[in-house]
Amino acid sequence: MNPEQRQVYKDKLKAVLLEIEDYLSKSEDAAEAVSPDKSLGRLSRMEAMQDQQLVLEVRRRQKRRKAEVFNAISRLEQDQYGQCIFCRSQISEERLDAFPEVQTCMKCA
Ligand SMILES: [Zn+2]
């Protein structure tokens, strides 16, 4: 991978990181436990708790993704970016363009 390409992916990864951080800070309130004294009916309390579970799940996924993005940035810096961590083959550009933080090729995914 040449330095220009590396820069392109670095920018992409940073954009992904910003997106994730934005989501994480915006969803903080929604992730908080539904307090029992909140004046909700029985049904809407259940709905609120389901919503909360959903937000928690998405946040978990985004946090995992964030770690992968950091990992990808450090691999970029070590010139190992774009290489499958299992079989060491080159990950296709289409795949990297779609998921810049991806660590595995199609076969190993
Ligand atoms: Zn592989």
Side-chain angles (χ1 to χ4, degrees):
M1 194 169 273
N2 65 43
E4 287 82 35
Q5 274 177 307
R6 279 226 293 271
Q7 192 55 50
V8 169
Y9 284 113
K10 199 169 190 173
D11 290 344
K12 271 186 206 233
L13 286 162
K14 283 184 178 160
V16 172
L17 203 58
L18 284 178
E19 231 174 80
I20 295 171
E21 267 161 6
D22 191 48
Y23 174 81
L24 288 175
S25 72
K26 279 186 187 155
S27 61
E28 226 157 87
D29 288 346
E32 266 172 40
V34 183
S35 60
D37 56 313
K38 217 173 185 180
S39 54
L40 295 167
R42 194 171 161 282
L43 194 66
S44 52
R45 183 186 309 282
M46 259 164 62
E47 279 169 357
M49 284 164 84
Q50 279 168 359
D51 286 350
Q52 186 216 0
Q53 286 306 311
L54 197 73
V55 171
L56 285 175
E57 176 54 32
V58 177
R59 281 172 63 87
R60 254 195 301 275
R61 239 179 289 155
Q62 292 294 331
K63 282 180 189 166
R64 203 154 47 214
R65 192 166 178 221
K66 189 174 161 183
E68 284 168 5
V69 172
F70 275 125
N71 198 297
I73 291 172
S74 83
R75 277 181 291 126
L76 251 177
E77 280 158 0
Q78 292 158 26
D79 205 12
Q80 287 164 355
Y81 182 72
Q83 221 181 57
C84 174
I85 56 167
F86 294 119
C87 69
R88 304 268 157 212
S89 69
Q90 191 63 39
I91 301 170
S92 73
E93 262 177 54
E94 296 79 54
R95 189 164 160 77
L96 287 175
D97 285 342
F99 312 102
E101 74 279 19
V102 79
Q103 303 181 26
T104 55
C105 70
M106 286 284 258
K107 269 188 283 176
C108 300

